[in-house]
Amino acid sequence: MLITHDTRCALDLVVDLVNTAPEGDDAEGLPDVAALVGFAREHDLSDVGVLTESDLAAVRAIRGRFAAVFATTDGRTAAAVINELVAAAGTTPRLTDHDGYDWHVHYFAPGASVADHIAADCGMALAFFVVAGEQERLRRCEAPDCRRAFVDLSRNRSRRYCDSRTCGNRLHVAAYRARRKEAAG
């Protein structure tokens, strides 16, 4: 599956957005407008303007919809959610070559709100996975104490953890210690 630069940026954005949701002991990752401004800046979101409380509420709302895409294994359910997000955003595909990047497609309309910008671009990035029959790559970490979202871009679709250096390594070490303890008897 070919993943262009703009699609990869949108995938990183949607994963990071879903992972800002408070879950378990995790605090709200977008507690205020300043955090949303930082999030937009970190992800180089263009044309977002001055952000407000209503922008924050709208972004949190679409975050929940995107989380539903990562939570389902049913393509029809994912497609319905993505279709709703993209349609509500007033998707307007257009070619652009800004900020030193070659030609790529923006799906949000000029002057769109930050929520519509995210819904359109990220919705289309996720749509490509559903269309390609690769929805299973949109996953949640399998570590029992972590449910972070991630996109499995491994060749054989075998990635199980959001980060192999933290969650994966922690579980492998725990399993190793349990085997040693059992062997020692």
Side-chain angles (χ1 to χ4, degrees), residues 120-154:
D121 277 358
C122 295
M124 290 305 299
L126 296 178
F128 296 143
F129 278 79
V130 174
V131 167
E134 299 284 352
Q135 184 194 341
E136 75 236 16
R137 291 179 180 271
L138 308 176
R139 298 192 177 158
R140 291 289 191 154
C141 184
E142 290 183 18
D145 59 342
C146 179
R147 296 297 300 151
R148 293 180 61 82
F150 68 94
V151 178
D152 179 3
L153 297 177
S154 67

Coordinates of all heavy atoms in Angstrom, one line a residue, residues 120-154:
A120 N -11.6 16.1 7.7 CA -11.5 15.8 6.2 C -10.2 15.1 5.9 O -10.2 14.0 5.3 CB -11.6 17.1 5.5
D121 N -9.1 15.6 6.3 CA -7.8 15.0 6.0 C -7.6 13.7 6.6 O -7.2 12.7 6.0 CB -6.6 15.9 6.3 CG -6.3 17.0 5.2 OD1 -7.0 17.0 4.2 OD2 -5.4 17.8 5.5
C122 N -7.9 13.6 7.9 CA -7.7 12.3 8.6 C -8.7 11.3 8.2 O -8.4 10.1 8.1 CB -7.7 12.5 10.1 SG -6.4 13.5 10.7
G123 N -10.0 11.7 7.9 CA -11.0 10.8 7.5 C -10.6 10.2 6.1 O -10.8 9.0 5.9
M124 N -10.1 11.0 5.2 CA -9.7 10.5 3.9 C -8.5 9.5 4.1 O -8.4 8.5 3.4 CB -9.3 11.6 3.0 CG -10.5 12.4 2.5 SD -11.9 11.4 1.8 CE -11.0 10.7 0.4
A125 N -7.5 9.8 5.0 CA -6.4 8.9 5.2 C -6.9 7.5 5.7 O -6.4 6.5 5.2 CB -5.4 9.5 6.2
L126 N -7.8 7.5 6.6 CA -8.4 6.3 7.1 C -9.2 5.6 6.1 O -9.3 4.4 6.0 CB -9.2 6.5 8.4 CG -8.4 7.0 9.6 CD1 -9.4 7.3 10.8 CD2 -7.3 6.1 10.0
A127 N -9.9 6.4 5.2 CA -10.7 5.8 4.1 C -9.9 5.0 3.2 O -10.3 3.9 2.7 CB -11.4 6.9 3.4
F128 N -8.6 5.5 2.9 CA -7.7 4.7 2.1 C -7.5 3.3 2.6 O -7.4 2.4 1.8 CB -6.4 5.5 1.9 CG -6.5 6.8 1.2 CD1 -5.7 7.8 1.5 CD2 -7.5 7.0 0.1 CE1 -5.9 9.1 0.9 CE2 -7.6 8.2 -0.5 CZ -6.8 9.3 -0.1
F129 N -7.4 3.2 3.9 CA -7.1 1.9 4.5 C -8.4 1.0 4.4 O -8.2 -0.2 4.1 CB -6.7 2.0 6.0 CG -5.3 2.4 6.2 CD1 -4.8 3.7 6.0 CD2 -4.4 1.4 6.5 CE1 -3.5 4.0 6.1 CE2 -3.0 1.7 6.7 CZ -2.6 3.0 6.5
V130 N -9.5 1.5 4.6 CA -10.8 0.7 4.4 C -10.9 0.3 3.0 O -11.2 -0.9 2.7 CB -12.0 1.5 4.9 CG1 -13.3 0.7 4.6 CG2 -11.9 1.8 6.4
V131 N -10.7 1.2 2.0 CA -10.8 0.9 0.6 C -9.8 -0.2 0.2 O -10.1 -1.1 -0.6 CB -10.6 2.2 -0.3 CG1 -10.4 1.8 -1.7 CG2 -11.8 3.1 -0.1
A132 N -8.6 -0.1 0.7 CA -7.5 -1.1 0.4 C -7.7 -2.4 1.1 O -6.9 -3.3 0.9 CB -6.2 -0.5 0.7
G133 N -8.7 -2.5 1.9 CA -8.9 -3.8 2.7 C -7.9 -3.9 3.8 O -7.6 -5.0 4.2
E134 N -7.4 -2.8 4.3 CA -6.3 -2.8 5.3 C -6.7 -2.3 6.6 O -5.9 -1.8 7.4 CB -5.1 -2.1 4.8 CG -4.5 -2.6 3.5 CD -3.7 -3.9 3.7 OE1 -3.4 -4.2 4.9 OE2 -3.3 -4.5 2.7
Q135 N -8.0 -2.3 6.9 CA -8.5 -1.7 8.1 C -7.9 -2.3 9.4 O -7.8 -1.7 10.4 CB -10.0 -1.8 8.2 CG -10.6 -1.1 9.4 CD -12.0 -1.4 9.7 OE1 -12.7 -1.9 8.8 NE2 -12.5 -1.2 10.9
E136 N -7.5 -3.6 9.3 CA -7.0 -4.3 10.4 C -5.7 -3.6 10.9 O -5.2 -3.9 12.0 CB -6.7 -5.8 10.1 CG -5.5 -6.0 9.2 CD -5.8 -6.8 8.0 OE1 -7.0 -6.9 7.6 OE2 -4.9 -7.2 7.3
R137 N -5.1 -2.8 10.1 CA -3.9 -2.1 10.4 C -4.2 -0.9 11.4 O -3.2 -0.4 12.0 CB -3.2 -1.5 9.2 CG -2.6 -2.6 8.3 CD -1.9 -2.0 7.1 NE -1.3 -3.0 6.2 CZ -0.1 -3.4 6.3 NH1 0.7 -3.0 7.3 NH2 0.4 -4.3 5.5
L138 N -5.4 -0.6 11.6 CA -5.8 0.5 12.5 C -6.1 -0.2 13.8 O -7.1 -0.9 14.0 CB -7.1 1.2 12.0 CG -7.0 1.8 10.6 CD1 -8.3 2.4 10.2 CD2 -5.8 2.7 10.4
R139 N -5.2 -0.1 14.8 CA -5.2 -1.0 16.0 C -5.1 -0.2 17.3 O -4.7 1.0 17.3 CB -4.1 -2.0 15.9 CG -4.1 -2.9 14.8 CD -3.2 -4.0 14.9 NE -3.3 -4.9 13.8 CZ -2.4 -5.7 13.4 NH1 -1.3 -5.8 14.0 NH2 -2.7 -6.5 12.3
R140 N -5.4 -0.9 18.3 CA -5.1 -0.5 19.7 C -4.0 -1.4 20.3 O -3.9 -2.6 19.9 CB -6.4 -0.6 20.6 CG -7.5 0.3 20.2 CD -7.1 1.7 20.6 NE -8.2 2.6 20.5 CZ -8.3 3.7 21.2 NH1 -7.4 4.1 22.1 NH2 -9.3 4.5 21.1
C141 N -3.2 -0.8 21.1 CA -2.1 -1.6 21.7 C -2.6 -2.8 22.5 O -3.7 -2.7 23.2 CB -1.3 -0.6 22.7 SG 0.1 -1.4 23.4
E142 N -2.0 -3.9 22.4 CA -2.4 -5.1 23.1 C -1.9 -5.3 24.5 O -2.2 -6.2 25.2 CB -2.0 -6.3 22.3 CG -2.8 -6.5 21.0 CD -2.5 -7.7 20.2 OE1 -1.9 -8.7 20.8 OE2 -2.8 -7.7 19.0
A143 N -1.1 -4.3 24.9 CA -0.6 -4.4 26.3 C -1.8 -4.2 27.2 O -2.6 -3.3 27.0 CB 0.4 -3.3 26.6
P144 N -1.9 -5.0 28.3 CA -3.1 -4.9 29.1 C -3.4 -3.5 29.8 O -4.5 -3.1 30.0 CB -2.9 -6.0 30.2 CG -1.8 -6.8 29.7 CD -1.0 -6.0 28.7
D145 N -2.3 -2.8 30.0 CA -2.4 -1.5 30.7 C -2.3 -0.3 29.7 O -2.1 0.8 30.2 CB -1.4 -1.4 31.8 CG 0.0 -1.5 31.3 OD1 0.2 -2.0 30.2 OD2 0.9 -1.1 32.0
C146 N -2.4 -0.6 28.4 CA -2.3 0.4 27.4 C -3.3 0.2 26.3 O -3.3 -0.9 25.8 CB -0.9 0.5 26.9 SG -0.6 1.7 25.6
R147 N -4.0 1.1 25.9 CA -5.0 1.0 24.8 C -4.7 2.1 23.8 O -5.7 2.5 23.1 CB -6.4 1.0 25.3 CG -6.8 -0.1 26.3 CD -6.7 -1.5 25.6 NE -7.6 -1.5 24.5 CZ -7.5 -2.3 23.5 NH1 -6.4 -3.1 23.4 NH2 -8.3 -2.3 22.5
R148 N -3.5 2.5 23.7 CA -3.2 3.6 22.7 C -3.4 3.1 21.3 O -3.2 2.0 20.9 CB -1.8 4.1 22.9 CG -1.5 4.8 24.2 CD -0.1 5.2 24.4 NE 0.3 6.2 23.4 CZ 0.1 7.5 23.4 NH1 -0.6 8.0 24.4 NH2 0.5 8.3 22.5
A149 N -3.9 4.0 20.4 CA -4.1 3.7 19.0 C -2.8 3.8 18.3 O -1.9 4.5 18.7 CB -5.1 4.7 18.4
F150 N -2.7 3.0 17.2 CA -1.6 3.1 16.3 C -1.9 2.5 14.9 O -3.0 1.9 14.8 CB -0.3 2.4 16.8 CG -0.4 0.9 16.9 CD1 0.1 0.1 15.9 CD2 -0.9 0.3 18.1 CE1 0.0 -1.3 16.0 CE2 -1.0 -1.1 18.2 CZ -0.5 -1.9 17.1
V151 N -1.2 2.8 13.9 CA -1.4 2.2 12.6 C -0.2 1.3 12.4 O 1.0 1.7 12.4 CB -1.4 3.3 11.5 CG1 -1.5 2.7 10.1 CG2 -2.5 4.3 11.8
D152 N -0.5 0.0 12.1 CA 0.5 -1.0 11.9 C 0.9 -0.9 10.4 O 0.2 -1.3 9.5 CB -0.1 -2.4 12.2 CG 0.9 -3.5 11.9 OD1 2.0 -3.2 11.6 OD2 0.4 -4.7 12.1
L153 N 2.1 -0.4 10.2 CA 2.7 -0.3 8.9 C 3.7 -1.3 8.6 O 4.5 -1.2 7.6 CB 3.2 1.1 8.6 CG 2.2 2.3 8.7 CD1 2.9 3.6 8.6 CD2 1.1 2.1 7.7
S154 N 3.8 -2.4 9.4 CA 4.7 -3.4 9.2 C 4.3 -4.2 8.0 O 3.1 -4.3 7.6 CB 4.8 -4.4 10.4 OG 3.6 -5.1 10.6

